Amino acid sequence: MNSSDTTYHVPVLLNESIDGLNIKSDGIYVDVTFGGGGHSREILRRLGPKGRLYGFDQDSDAEGNIPDDERFTFVRSNFRYLKNWMRYYEVEKIDGLLADLGVSSHHFDDETRGFSFRWDSPLDMRMNKRAGVTAADFINKAEEEKIADVLYLYGEIRQARRIASQIVKARSEKPLLTTGDLLKVVQPLMPHNREKKDLARVFQALRIEINHEMDALKEMLLAASEVLAEGGRLSVITYHSLEDRIVKNVMKSGNVEGKIEQDFYGRISSPFRSVNSKVIVPSDQEQQTNPRSRSAKLRVAERV
């Protein structure tokens, strides 16, 4: 790992997630969450001269971490378009796919992006700075019920409706354009004993909504079931209960709902077989040195 990895993002469950891919020397792999490139560099380290790796990231900041390696191809795109891009590069099947979901430490530490309430910055929260609706656009224009639903579904905020009501009331007097503007509205509503935790959940919920993270995840996982070769591995790190449930369902049943389908003989019909019977979590040491890893769960499945 070079210095840019550690300053941009410390990879979570690095060895465990790459071990899960069971890398073949001449295989074709995809890292759909390139970010700081930590996971990608470890994949490249294990690949032979004929191996290939494609790294997806929609954030232009990630381009500064592209490795100088002819085996690597950077794809500046949302991973929901996985199948389209594999077709573009004339790749019929891949041998493994890695996804480290959530937000990198780089984004939380960037004072200009609005991902954290530590600084007073523009309410942006877009992973792709070139397109889409910002968090400010959403909280200033969305219906009160929509805001409440987002806070409850993606942030598991108990007082979601009360917060949404206050946001709508405040924006009628003055647009909420910065993280500071939003904090002034929601912070007084937070229970003192879990203020920071609930504030983090509010920001998490808005980020998930702005970047359509759940829809993109569903599309990517279903595409992965099509482009993975027989015996190919799917290695996914999650941080949020909702995304973990989606990953678990797809790996178990091949569909987002987790609906088990059986053939005439009662055999379960699923494109995947779980590799690890239990979720893999970071060691105590990793959790101490990398706080972001504390809610991480790794699931690995094999294409059958």
Side-chain angles (χ1 to χ4, degrees):
M1 188 186 304
N2 63 25
S3 60
S4 66
D5 295 327
T6 57
T7 55
Y8 188 99
H9 173 68
V10 179
V12 172
L13 288 164
L14 177 62
N15 290 316
E16 295 89 341
S17 61
I18 308 303
D19 287 345
L21 291 175
N22 194 28
I23 289 176
K24 299 188 296 184
S25 173
D26 60 349
I28 300 174
Y29 296 87
V30 178
D31 178 354
V32 294
T33 50
F34 175 69
H39 288 102
S40 281
R41 285 184 174 82
E42 182 60 22
I43 293 173
L44 289 169
R45 192 183 69 80
R46 302 188 191 192
L47 279 178
K50 294 184 179 180
R52 293 289 305 173
L53 174 62
Y54 295 85
F56 279 68
D57 208 299
Q58 60 184 328
D59 189 352
S60 57
D61 287 358
E63 294 185 43
N65 303 313
I66 296 175
D68 182 14
D69 193 315
E70 61 183 10
R71 299 170 299 169
F72 180 82
T73 299
F74 182 77
V75 183
R76 186 174 176 177
S77 175
N78 189 303
F79 59 45
R80 71 193 310 167
Y81 304 116
L82 168 67
K83 192 164 67 171
N84 293 359
W85 280 104
M86 291 300 95
R87 187 183 301 122
Y88 174 80
Y89 285 110
E90 299 181 339
V91 175
E92 291 186 9
K93 294 292 181 179
I94 64 175
D95 296 293
L97 183 148
L98 171 80
D100 180 10
L101 304 175
V103 179
S104 73
S105 50
H106 162 76
H107 292 110
F108 285 125
D109 293 337
D110 188 337
E111 300 179 26
T112 68
R113 302 288 291 272
F115 287 104
S116 172
F117 54 83
R118 286 181 289 168
W119 299 283
D120 188 9
S121 58
L123 267 174
D124 193 320
M125 296 195 190
R126 293 173 300 167
M127 298 299 294
N128 180 355
K129 294 183 287 186
R130 298 163 291 149
V133 172
T134 67
D137 292 331
F138 175 74
I139 64 170
N140 284 293
K141 297 177 182 178
E143 296 288 336
E144 180 177 325
E145 185 176 0
K146 174 66 175 177
I147 296 173
D149 288 346
V150 164
L151 294 175
Y152 184 77
L153 181 62
Y154 298 146
E156 300 175 304
I157 302 293
R158 298 174 186 173
Q159 64 272 34
R161 296 201 178 283
R162 186 181 174 201
I163 293 173
S165 175
Q166 287 300 109
I167 286 174
V168 171
K169 180 180 178 181
R171 78 186 188 189
S172 67
E173 301 173 2
K174 176 189 173 185
L176 307 179
L177 303 177
T178 69
T179 56
D181 292 339
L182 181 59
L183 280 177
K184 288 178 183 177
V185 177
V186 303
Q187 199 164 14
L189 305 176
M190 299 295 168
H192 185 69
N193 62 336
R194 60 171 193 268
E195 180 181 277
K196 287 188 176 180
K197 186 174 182 179
D198 278 8
L199 284 174
R201 286 180 171 183
V202 168
F203 276 67
Q204 169 188 277
L206 292 174
R207 186 204 80 224
I208 290 174
E209 170 66 19
I210 297 308
N211 294 289
H212 309 289
E213 292 180 26
M214 295 306 158
D215 289 338
L217 175 60
K218 294 172 186 177
E219 291 178 33
M220 182 274 288
L221 290 172
L222 295 178
S225 69
E226 296 184 42
V227 301
L228 275 167
E230 184 177 339
R233 294 288 185 88
L234 180 63
S235 183
V236 185
I237 303 169
T238 65
Y239 300 86
H240 182 270
S241 59
L242 188 55
E243 64 188 12
D244 184 60
R245 192 178 310 125
I246 292 170
V247 172
K248 180 182 178 180
N249 285 348
V250 171
M251 288 185 173
K252 179 179 69 173
S253 65
N255 58 70
V256 173
E257 296 77 20
K259 183 180 179 181
I260 300 295
E261 297 180 1
Q262 298 179 327
D263 62 16
F264 179 77
Y265 300 99
R267 293 174 298 197
I268 294 176
S269 176
S270 173
F272 294 109
R273 175 187 67 83
S274 292
V275 172
N276 53 319
S277 56
K278 294 183 179 180
V279 294
I280 298 170
V281 297
S283 65
D284 291 341
Q285 182 179 359
E286 180 173 3
Q287 292 185 47
Q288 289 174 6
T289 57
N290 185 5
R292 179 177 179 266
S293 72
R294 290 171 186 166
S295 60
K297 295 180 180 179
L298 170 65
R299 295 184 185 275
V300 182
E302 183 174 283
R303 186 71 167 88
V304 296

